[in-house]
Amino acid sequence: MNNRPPMLQAQNVHKSYGRNEILKGIDLEVATGEVMCLIGPSGSGKSTFLRCINHLERIDQGRIYVDTKLIGGRIHKGRIYEQREAEICRQRMDIGMVFQHFNLFPHMTVLQNLIEGPVRVKKENRESAVERARKLLDRVGLKHLEASYPKQLSGGQQQRVAIARSLAMAPKLMLFDEPTSALDPELVGEVLAVMKDLAESGMTMVVVTHEIGFARGVADQVVFMDEGVVVEAGAPTKIFANPENDRTKGFLVNVGK
Amino acid sequence: MNTENYEIVPLRHYGRWVSGAVVIFLLVLIVRAFVQGQIDWPVIGEFFMAPVLIKGLGNTIIITLLAMIMGIALGVIFAVMRLSDNPVTRWFAGFYIWIFRGTPIYLQLLIWFNLALVFPTVNLGFWEGRMVDIMTPFFAALLGLGINEGAYMTEIVRGGILSVDQGQLDAASSLGMTRLQAMKRIVLPQAMRVIIPPMGNEFIGLLKTSSMASAIAYTELLHRAQMIYFVNAKVMELLIVATGWYLIVVTILSSLQTVIENRFAKGQTRNSAPSLLRNVVRIMSARRGMAGGAR
């Protein structure tokens, strides 16, 4: 598996809002099947970087490749042409994203949330989409709730539905943007369990999280970001047991390891 | 002290009795005044279902409906323009609202109706015609009311779109939806919940404003009523008939609004919203339960 090109490759990614530079040159690589956890204080640019990967934010400088394809641009005769909306949408279909606040569609039932992407975007026929959606709901343990509306579910259930909704598009890469930060403490576990199961099934994942326990147990690679740069990266055992950088040490002490 | 067997005396609301009596007394005075007034009541009965007036009522409903559809379509288009990243379309939408919300509808109707004075002919390249033939009272009323309504609907739709959380657009985009798909499938259906109540008010307002079209000789309800009383001089009687019809239509529209609101509220409450019928059944059975308990 080492010979395969990385699923995600970021080179010198810069992003600013006005004069405020959020990302100051990020270089990262995630191999296929690998789980990378991004940790760091709030405002360090983790979430912004995640949103750049599926082009929810346009980067100012640098390159991001997902499955060897350049995100947001097309290389042609020594130039990079910015892509049209339709092409960007096609790239996004391969990249699932789970949000801090779930962002389920409140006017649709759980099942409708799951088949919306496959039916409307991928033009899959309805029956097969429904069948796959039910399997996914079963996988996240919510088969019995397919006719409910999101507001009728607990936060943990909503986030599991959101994960299933992303999986329904059969993505190659999954992005998680602080998926448990908006949850009551007793609901965090059920979401992490689903994510762990997903990681074990071989999904490539980039997870922005404050759950150090999850990072320690599931991640292949932990990246510590602060003030728009990657401060330290490596295996969880190394980062958590022997952090080299003082900022990493300080952060880990603050989150209580 | 043992108070267990004491009788509980409810608070008496004497003020309510007095104010209620005053209101009823005033109502009686008003009704008596109208009964004794010089109103030819049989004429009202005679003209209520008169085909001439029913035809006018039909025209009122048609112009209201078409102008509203036009207003909604324009409202959605201009709201999207107003929210777009393109400064030119944004400015143009603002200009449209400024013009059509800033001038009286009466004046706008007169301008549309008299457009032939400025543009005697219409030349569409493949087709040419005289403006006076095109700008009939109906068409002038439709353009005047519809375009005016569009300006108000733009602001209502814009407010609705802005009320939908940005995260919804993020989620739709991450599934690979285009902006248009996301707008149609995700944002607008949710915006509808915010748009419907003011839209219902607009509809009712438009129904009444359509009577202005009588000024440009569009034969709607009020225009017909006036035509009749110019002949038979039963002014008040025919105005009362028109009043009755407007109230009937508004009442129907109001209940329709409730039904539509309930439809778009789906998924917005933790308990799914009970339908009107279920509500009635629930109240009835609760009553019966209470009565049974008393027995």
Side-chain angles (χ1 to χ4, degrees), chain B residues 10 51 70 84 86 96 106 135 145 153 157 164 195 202 209-210 235 241 252 256 279 289 292:
Chain B
M70 191 165 156
S84 89
N86 184 338
Y96 164 72
Y106 188 51
M135 207 48 81
L145 293 170
M153 282 307 297
V157 173
V164 178
I195 293 172
E202 286 298 312
T209 310
S210 71
V235 178
V241 170
I252 294 170
L256 216 65
N279 247 339

Tab-separated table of all heavy atoms in Angstrom, chain B residues 10 51 70 84 86 96 106 135 145 153 157 164 195 202 209-210 235 241 252 256 279 289 292:
chain	number	residue	atom	x	y	z
B	10	PRO	N	-64.295	30.957	43.540
B	10	PRO	CA	-63.498	31.528	42.447
B	10	PRO	C	-63.594	33.047	42.452
B	10	PRO	O	-64.602	33.603	42.886
B	10	PRO	CB	-64.139	30.963	41.177
B	10	PRO	CG	-65.097	29.917	41.622
B	10	PRO	CD	-65.458	30.206	43.036
B	51	PRO	N	-75.427	37.798	-11.861
B	51	PRO	CA	-74.363	37.334	-12.762
B	51	PRO	C	-73.346	38.432	-13.098
B	51	PRO	O	-72.146	38.157	-13.196
B	51	PRO	CB	-75.129	36.917	-14.025
B	51	PRO	CG	-76.488	36.589	-13.549
B	51	PRO	CD	-76.764	37.486	-12.394
B	70	MET	N	-47.211	36.176	-10.760
B	70	MET	CA	-46.183	37.018	-11.349
B	70	MET	C	-45.297	37.619	-10.251
B	70	MET	O	-44.060	37.636	-10.378
B	70	MET	CB	-46.862	38.129	-12.141
B	70	MET	CG	-45.953	38.922	-13.014
B	70	MET	SD	-46.978	39.864	-14.172
B	70	MET	CE	-45.861	41.176	-14.559
B	84	SER	N	-26.877	37.892	-5.028
B	84	SER	CA	-25.806	37.300	-5.832
B	84	SER	C	-24.488	38.045	-5.600
B	84	SER	O	-24.444	39.105	-4.994
B	84	SER	CB	-26.172	37.339	-7.313
B	84	SER	OG	-25.730	38.553	-7.883
B	86	ASN	N	-22.711	39.174	-8.007
B	86	ASN	CA	-22.527	40.113	-9.099
B	86	ASN	C	-23.070	41.491	-8.711
B	86	ASN	O	-24.266	41.647	-8.484
B	86	ASN	CB	-23.273	39.564	-10.326
B	86	ASN	CG	-23.053	40.417	-11.549
B	86	ASN	OD1	-22.706	41.592	-11.432
B	86	ASN	ND2	-23.248	39.831	-12.710
B	96	TYR	N	-34.988	48.172	-8.868
B	96	TYR	CA	-36.358	47.703	-9.120
B	96	TYR	C	-37.246	47.908	-7.892
B	96	TYR	O	-38.357	48.441	-7.976
B	96	TYR	CB	-36.295	46.224	-9.515
B	96	TYR	CG	-37.598	45.460	-9.446
B	96	TYR	CD1	-38.615	45.682	-10.374
B	96	TYR	CD2	-37.805	44.482	-8.469
B	96	TYR	CE1	-39.795	44.975	-10.317
B	96	TYR	CE2	-38.983	43.762	-8.404
B	96	TYR	CZ	-39.965	44.013	-9.329
B	96	TYR	OH	-41.132	43.305	-9.268
B	106	TYR	N	-51.624	53.179	-7.632
B	106	TYR	CA	-52.607	53.872	-8.481
B	106	TYR	C	-51.899	54.536	-9.652
B	106	TYR	O	-52.289	54.397	-10.808
B	106	TYR	CB	-53.341	54.900	-7.611
B	106	TYR	CG	-54.519	55.577	-8.265
B	106	TYR	CD1	-55.510	54.831	-8.890
B	106	TYR	CD2	-54.634	56.963	-8.233
B	106	TYR	CE1	-56.594	55.454	-9.477
B	106	TYR	CE2	-55.717	57.600	-8.824
B	106	TYR	CZ	-56.702	56.846	-9.456
B	106	TYR	OH	-57.751	57.462	-10.035
B	135	MET	N	-52.221	46.985	-24.628
B	135	MET	CA	-52.391	47.427	-23.248
B	135	MET	C	-53.880	47.573	-22.904
B	135	MET	O	-54.374	48.664	-22.666
B	135	MET	CB	-51.633	48.741	-23.046
B	135	MET	CG	-51.172	48.989	-21.619
B	135	MET	SD	-50.329	47.613	-20.817
B	135	MET	CE	-48.674	47.766	-21.451
B	145	LEU	N	-50.142	45.494	-11.162
B	145	LEU	CA	-50.258	44.808	-9.874
B	145	LEU	C	-49.136	43.787	-9.689
B	145	LEU	O	-48.545	43.677	-8.617
B	145	LEU	CB	-51.620	44.113	-9.762
B	145	LEU	CG	-52.846	45.034	-9.695
B	145	LEU	CD1	-54.133	44.226	-9.822
B	145	LEU	CD2	-52.857	45.833	-8.404
B	153	MET	N	-42.543	41.147	-2.821
B	153	MET	CA	-42.185	39.736	-2.651
B	153	MET	C	-40.664	39.541	-2.622
B	153	MET	O	-40.153	38.655	-1.958
B	153	MET	CB	-42.803	38.880	-3.766
B	153	MET	CG	-44.277	38.574	-3.602
B	153	MET	SD	-44.707	37.862	-2.007
B	153	MET	CE	-43.794	36.333	-2.062
B	157	VAL	N	-39.005	37.211	0.066
B	157	VAL	CA	-38.243	36.014	-0.299
B	157	VAL	C	-36.793	36.135	0.179
B	157	VAL	O	-36.206	35.189	0.701
B	157	VAL	CB	-38.288	35.777	-1.825
B	157	VAL	CG1	-37.362	34.642	-2.226
B	157	VAL	CG2	-39.706	35.468	-2.270
B	164	VAL	N	-32.283	30.932	6.369
B	164	VAL	CA	-31.787	29.546	6.342
B	164	VAL	C	-30.297	29.547	6.674
B	164	VAL	O	-29.527	30.315	6.104
B	164	VAL	CB	-32.040	28.910	4.960
B	164	VAL	CG1	-31.479	27.500	4.912
B	164	VAL	CG2	-33.528	28.897	4.661
B	195	ILE	N	-41.480	32.525	4.560
B	195	ILE	CA	-42.086	33.342	3.507
B	195	ILE	C	-43.618	33.288	3.540
B	195	ILE	O	-44.286	34.292	3.294
B	195	ILE	CB	-41.574	32.873	2.110
B	195	ILE	CG1	-40.080	33.171	1.978
B	195	ILE	CG2	-42.342	33.542	0.990
B	195	ILE	CD1	-39.444	32.577	0.744
B	202	GLU	N	-49.776	39.369	1.864
B	202	GLU	CA	-49.648	40.025	0.564
B	202	GLU	C	-50.808	39.651	-0.345
B	202	GLU	O	-51.360	40.478	-1.050
B	202	GLU	CB	-48.328	39.621	-0.104
B	202	GLU	CG	-47.110	40.257	0.496
B	202	GLU	CD	-47.127	41.773	0.374
B	202	GLU	OE1	-47.396	42.275	-0.730
B	202	GLU	OE2	-46.906	42.453	1.390
B	209	THR	N	-56.244	45.469	-3.142
B	209	THR	CA	-55.637	46.482	-4.012
B	209	THR	C	-56.136	46.360	-5.442
B	209	THR	O	-56.183	47.345	-6.179
B	209	THR	CB	-54.099	46.337	-3.995
B	209	THR	OG1	-53.669	46.289	-2.645
B	209	THR	CG2	-53.430	47.508	-4.690
B	210	SER	N	-56.529	45.140	-5.834
B	210	SER	CA	-56.969	44.944	-7.216
B	210	SER	C	-58.182	45.820	-7.535
B	210	SER	O	-58.478	46.076	-8.693
B	210	SER	CB	-57.283	43.467	-7.473
B	210	SER	OG	-58.466	43.098	-6.788
B	235	VAL	N	-76.538	53.064	-4.135
B	235	VAL	CA	-75.094	53.106	-3.885
B	235	VAL	C	-74.689	52.219	-2.705
B	235	VAL	O	-73.899	51.283	-2.831
B	235	VAL	CB	-74.642	54.563	-3.624
B	235	VAL	CG1	-73.157	54.613	-3.326
B	235	VAL	CG2	-74.978	55.426	-4.828
B	241	VAL	N	-72.897	44.799	-0.818
B	241	VAL	CA	-72.737	43.523	-1.520
B	241	VAL	C	-71.252	43.267	-1.796
B	241	VAL	O	-70.728	42.175	-1.529
B	241	VAL	CB	-73.526	43.523	-2.852
B	241	VAL	CG1	-73.151	42.300	-3.682
B	241	VAL	CG2	-75.012	43.540	-2.571
B	252	ILE	N	-61.888	32.705	3.053
B	252	ILE	CA	-61.441	31.456	2.430
B	252	ILE	C	-59.921	31.447	2.301
B	252	ILE	O	-59.253	30.458	2.630
B	252	ILE	CB	-62.103	31.286	1.041
B	252	ILE	CG1	-63.615	31.102	1.205
B	252	ILE	CG2	-61.497	30.105	0.293
B	252	ILE	CD1	-64.386	31.162	-0.090
B	256	LEU	N	-57.024	28.898	3.895
B	256	LEU	CA	-56.091	28.237	2.982
B	256	LEU	C	-54.651	28.461	3.450
B	256	LEU	O	-53.805	27.566	3.401
B	256	LEU	CB	-56.279	28.825	1.580
B	256	LEU	CG	-56.130	27.879	0.409
B	256	LEU	CD1	-57.231	26.832	0.470
B	256	LEU	CD2	-56.196	28.634	-0.901
B	279	ASN	N	-56.804	17.955	15.328
B	279	ASN	CA	-57.004	18.885	16.419
B	279	ASN	C	-58.455	18.894	16.886
B	279	ASN	O	-58.747	18.842	18.079
B	279	ASN	CB	-56.632	20.298	15.967
B	279	ASN	CG	-55.395	20.784	16.703
B	279	ASN	OD1	-55.075	20.254	17.760
B	279	ASN	ND2	-54.727	21.766	16.145
B	289	GLY	N	-64.666	13.412	27.268
B	289	GLY	CA	-64.028	12.831	28.453
B	289	GLY	C	-64.402	13.612	29.699
B	289	GLY	O	-64.739	13.049	30.729
B	292	GLY	N	-68.022	13.039	30.635
B	292	GLY	CA	-68.137	11.718	31.236
B	292	GLY	C	-67.693	11.744	32.694
B	292	GLY	O	-68.323	11.155	33.561
